[in-house]
Amino acid sequence: MTTRLPRLKSSRSAAVKARLDHPVIDTDVHVNDYTPALEDYVQHYGGSALVDALRKSLGGRFATRSAAGKDWYQQTPEERQHHRTLRAPWWARVTRNTLDLATYTLPELLAERLAEQGADYSILFPNDVLAPAAASDEFRQPLHRAINHFHADVWKKHAHRLTPVAGIPLNTPQEGIEELEFAVKTLGLKVINIAGGVRRPIPSIAEKYPKAEHPDVARHASYTDFYGIDSPHDYDPFWAKVVELGVPVTTHYGSQGWTGRQSTSNYMFNHIGHFADGSQAFAKALFFGGVTRRFPQLRVALLEGGADWGSHVYTHLVDRFEKRNRHAIQNYNPAHADIELLAALFEEYGGELTKGRPVDKATLLRDSLGVSALPHSRDPVGDELDDFLAAGIQSVEDIRERWVKPFYFGAEADDRTVAAAFNTKVNPLGTQINAIWSSDIGHWDVPDLTEPLAESWDLVEQGVISAEDFRSLVFSNPYRFYTEANPDFFRGTDIAAKVSDQSQVQGG
């Protein structure tokens, strides 16, 4: 006879949930894959070669290696310095709390414990979905297809309360479209996760140092294509397909290994703030590249970086637009300087600087601007003057429409900086940023899955956010994110049964 192991029947979060008059939607739950079961699917799609590619992709997601092929843990401190080998994440999963470890791996157990977590509905990010984007061209698409198929089958039974995301590769728009259509039309998945950028070789360097002959040069001499601006590809067909299929887009895009996040010894040095920085680059590319203008129905959730950065970028966009819009930029045009006035002021006040030397009007403007502002070979002209042109920004209200409306920002439970999202006194035009509750359970920052909802309610009791802000965070904003992309997103789910009064979703 099988003996059921004792499990929690109540929790702080369950107690908080019992007091609420609205559902709770968790936008970011990380689950583990039972390797033998996953590899059966991978084997089906590509045989042992694809299984090997999966293992290499997962094992090398963050790993960096020396020219001798040794990873960080195989190198001496001196070798790490010599090769500048990045200290990668380590011990990133819950283990001591073995019940939670099993919960993240066993669908039946997670479904059973959802009430302890305090959530009515959760979006699942299988950790393996986040990995194979860096796989080789030969294996990238079949790996994504196999992994997505596995998750669609494993979680189908619990679709009324749990839904996994589909991982979509985006090295080219076409591969993204192909895997998007397979995931949505064939597998029935309804949320996608993409990397916020793709590393590409710098053409001028790649021509001089071909990858086959100079792999170390190729590994370091690259740039990141964020899809929306300065890309060698036109990604509009992909965004159009996303909107056509009504799919919310999510990303867990980090910046470990970027300049300023390259410690060879300290993971925390590389980690703090890296999701915010990575997502910021991706979101700004969509904004300045005009993607959010051309596709106003597009909805993108930027997870694990917090919501405060969404607020401060919005504020900085407004500040900079007011100073450097197409018309205001003329305040800094050298052609508008009054050389006669400048010379007269030098004559009256500049004796100590000129020391009796005659002032040359022909070079006076250049000399006054200083060495750091020496003129370019030519001045920018026409559209080069307007950094906001592609975004179509002509007013602060346009910025609100194309930054605040399409983007949603994942805020973890204990993140006090979420208050910035709701600060209408600071955010331009009295705007709230779309913060969405993202427990991040399954990762090291959540040692107990029963705590996150209660931790977020603690912020209410501490006066960090209001009860109405909390409602927006855990329900109204997540609900709007998914249903603005797809009005039928929650059809047939527990959420649909609980949201009979549409006034519940107002606010936020």
Side-chain angles (χ1 to χ4, degrees), residues 107-109 111 121 154-163:
E108 293 290 333
L109 184 53
Y121 192 90
V154 166
W155 296 100
K156 184 179 298 182
K157 177 181 177 180
H158 305 287
H160 60 297
R161 290 193 291 173
L162 303 167
T163 190

Side-chain angles (χ1 to χ4, degrees), residues 2-212:
T2 301
T3 302
R4 281 181 78 81
L5 296 173
R7 291 194 278 279
L8 292 174
K9 300 298 182 183
S10 62
S11 67
R12 283 209 312 142
S13 291
V16 169
K17 179 65 170 62
R19 300 164 53 183
L20 303 179
D21 63 355
H22 56 80
V24 171
I25 300 172
D26 191 343
T27 67
D28 190 17
V29 171
H30 288 272
V31 292
N32 301 325
D33 292 328
Y34 180 59
T35 302
L38 172 61
E39 290 187 350
D40 285 345
Y41 279 73
V42 177
Q43 179 82 26
H44 170 77
Y45 274 87
S48 58
L50 194 61
V51 172
D52 289 343
L54 172 70
R55 294 172 180 174
K56 181 179 180 181
S57 179
L58 298 181
R61 180 181 171 205
F62 290 106
T64 52
R65 297 177 181 273
S66 69
K70 295 195 292 185
D71 68 21
W72 191 92
Y73 292 96
Q74 295 170 316
Q75 296 176 32
T76 65
E78 292 75 21
E79 288 175 321
R80 295 166 189 161
Q81 285 285 345
H82 182 69
H83 297 287
R84 296 304 301 172
T85 306
L86 181 74
R87 179 73 189 272
W90 51 283
W91 290 358
R93 305 284 183 267
V94 173
T95 53
R96 173 176 284 179
N97 186 337
T98 308
L99 173 58
D100 280 7
L101 171 60
T103 301
Y104 305 140
T105 311
L106 302 171
E108 293 290 333
L109 184 53
L110 178 58
E112 180 182 302
R113 297 191 67 204
L114 209 60
E116 292 174 32
Q117 186 208 354
D120 294 277
Y121 192 90
S122 295
I123 308 298
L124 309 180
F125 290 83
N127 288 303
D128 292 339
V129 158
L130 309 179
S136 67
D137 293 344
E138 177 185 2
F139 296 120
R140 190 167 50 251
Q141 283 189 253
L143 271 181
H144 279 84
R145 191 162 292 202
I147 291 173
N148 290 339
H149 196 167
F150 172 68
H151 295 138
D153 285 354
V154 166
W155 296 100
K156 184 179 298 182
K157 177 181 177 180
H158 305 287
H160 60 297
R161 290 193 291 173
L162 303 167
T163 190
V165 303
I168 304 297
L170 268 184
N171 284 53
T172 68
Q174 185 57 38
E175 74 174 17
I177 291 171
E178 290 172 4
E179 296 315 307
L180 174 64
E181 290 190 319
F182 179 79
V184 175
K185 294 181 178 180
T186 302
L187 301 179
L189 297 173
K190 54 186 182 180
V191 186
I192 64 170
N193 186 85
I194 64 173
V198 173
R199 291 180 70 89
R200 303 195 192 280
I202 298 172
S204 62
I205 297 177
E207 291 169 3
K208 188 174 182 179
Y209 300 98
K211 182 177 180 179

Side-chain angles (χ1 to χ4, degrees), residues 184-486:
V184 175
K185 294 181 178 180
T186 302
L187 301 179
L189 297 173
K190 54 186 182 180
V191 186
I192 64 170
N193 186 85
I194 64 173
V198 173
R199 291 180 70 89
R200 303 195 192 280
I202 298 172
S204 62
I205 297 177
E207 291 169 3
K208 188 174 182 179
Y209 300 98
K211 182 177 180 179
E213 301 173 19
H214 304 277
D216 283 346
V217 174
R219 184 165 62 248
H220 294 290
S222 64
Y223 73 99
T224 302
D225 174 7
F226 299 111
Y227 315 126
I229 191 170
D230 303 330
S231 176
H233 298 281
D234 177 9
Y235 278 92
D236 274 9
F238 174 76
W239 305 124
K241 182 62 65 173
V242 166
V243 171
E244 175 193 328
L245 296 177
V247 181
V249 178
T250 67
T251 188
H252 287 73
Y253 191 57
S255 58
Q256 292 190 62
W258 293 11
T259 301
R261 301 188 186 281
Q262 294 179 327
S263 171
T264 65
S265 63
N266 195 298
Y267 165 37
M268 286 295 95
F269 176 89
N270 295 329
H271 181 271
I272 294 172
H274 87 105
F275 279 116
D277 285 354
S279 287
Q280 180 182 140
F282 168 55
K284 286 191 301 186
L286 298 190
F287 174 85
F288 281 110
V291 175
T292 58
R293 173 181 62 83
R294 294 189 296 277
F295 302 97
Q297 303 93 341
L298 185 67
R299 294 294 178 269
V300 180
L302 307 138
L303 301 172
E304 294 202 29
D308 62 313
W309 74 264
S311 173
H312 79 242
V313 172
Y314 171 50
T315 302
H316 292 327
L317 286 171
V318 170
D319 291 345
R320 282 156 176 75
F321 173 74
E322 289 177 339
K323 299 298 193 299
R324 296 188 67 85
N325 64 63
R326 193 178 188 89
H327 304 291
I329 196 71
Q330 294 298 328
N331 287 322
Y332 323 112
N333 186 342
H336 296 321
D338 185 335
I339 302 300
E340 295 299 328
L341 175 60
L342 186 61
L345 293 171
F346 259 81
E347 183 177 345
E348 184 174 356
Y349 295 100
E352 292 186 6
L353 286 177
T354 61
K355 300 185 184 305
R357 288 173 296 198
V359 172
D360 185 351
K361 291 183 181 180
T363 63
L364 182 56
L365 177 61
R366 181 201 66 188
D367 295 341
S368 298
L369 292 175
V371 174
S372 63
L374 291 176
H376 301 286
S377 57
R378 68 167 180 81
D379 288 332
V381 295
D383 292 346
E384 294 175 332
L385 292 170
D386 190 354
D387 280 338
F388 294 86
L389 179 66
I393 305 302
Q394 298 186 36
S395 67
V396 173
E397 287 77 11
D398 289 339
I399 297 175
R400 180 177 60 186
E401 184 74 10
R402 289 159 196 167
W403 179 266
V404 176
K405 191 172 183 179
F407 294 132
Y408 287 72
F409 302 87
E412 295 177 14
D414 57 352
D415 185 358
R416 300 173 65 85
T417 67
V418 71
F422 300 107
N423 192 337
T424 56
K425 293 181 179 179
V426 171
N427 296 328
L429 302 177
T431 300
Q432 289 191 358
I433 300 300
N434 297 320
I436 54 177
W437 190 63
S438 306
S439 73
D440 204 38
I441 64 171
H443 283 173
W444 58 258
D445 52 320
V446 187
D448 183 344
L449 72 80
T450 70
E451 276 294 295
L453 187 65
E455 288 181 323
S456 291
W457 185 255
D458 288 343
L459 301 182
V460 177
E461 296 187 336
Q462 295 163 9
V464 177
I465 60 176
S466 69
E468 186 59 35
D469 296 337
F470 177 86
R471 180 195 189 99
S472 296
L473 177 67
V474 306
F475 173 57
S476 302
N477 288 351
Y479 185 88
R480 284 192 298 105
F481 170 62
Y482 298 112
T483 57
E484 285 179 353
N486 176 7

